[in-house]
Amino acid sequence: MNKIAITRKEHFNAAHRLHNKHWSKEKNEEVFGKCNNPNYHGHNYDLEVTVIGHINVDTGYVIDTKILSNIIKQKVLEPFDHKNLNLDVPLFKNKNPTVENIAVVIYDEIIKEISNDLELKIKLYETPRNFVEYPY
């Protein structure tokens, strides 16, 4: 049987500042522009978490969506929603919270919670026109 994918969509709001502490103020402003605002700025992130695998013959599920929803709530929404990623989320203590890095962090947190025989894909929208997919 072929694999099948199931996707759960979620939403969270978070503030961040793109900044490289090893660069000058001028270089940070040049590279990151408005995203380097010292007072931070926010986004309304849309998240799609896709789990890929074979349908379990006993349940008919790849993964129970209630379980997936609880994992996302615990690992993403509770720690990220309405937070300043730079200041409030230890996972970004030494990581610039770009949309790319946020997606990788989300992946790393969720993959630990699902069965090893399942694959995981993250799609994270920072804006309706800017999004990342991981892994690709």
Side-chain angles (χ1 to χ4, degrees), residues 4-104:
I4 190 167
I6 185 162
T7 300
R8 173 85 182 174
K9 289 181 77 171
E10 293 288 354
H11 178 85
F12 64 94
N13 303 304
H16 69 161
R17 178 185 188 203
L18 302 185
H19 184 80
N20 184 323
K21 65 184 178 185
H22 303 292
W23 292 352
S24 68
K25 177 182 178 196
E26 294 75 24
K27 182 163 183 175
N28 272 290
E29 288 174 356
E30 176 187 336
V31 172
F32 299 120
K34 293 179 183 179
C35 295
N36 185 246
N37 181 346
N39 295 317
Y40 307 91
H41 68 283
H43 293 281
N44 300 313
Y45 293 95
D46 285 315
L47 172 65
E48 295 178 10
V49 176
T50 300
V51 177
I52 304 152
H54 295 287
I55 297 172
N56 180 297
V57 295
D58 294 324
T59 65
Y61 297 149
V62 171
I63 187 171
D64 185 329
T65 54
K66 292 183 296 299
I67 292 170
L68 181 59
S69 177
N70 287 337
I71 292 168
I72 296 168
K73 182 179 179 185
Q74 178 188 12
K75 296 297 183 176
V76 181
L77 302 182
E78 289 174 0
F80 292 12
D81 191 34
H82 285 82
K83 300 288 185 350
N84 181 315
L85 299 177
N86 301 77
L87 302 177
D88 301 328
V89 182
L91 294 165
F92 294 103
K93 180 177 168 68
N94 296 309
K95 191 174 297 227
N96 205 5
T98 61
V99 68
E100 295 91 339
N101 280 333
I102 297 168
V104 171

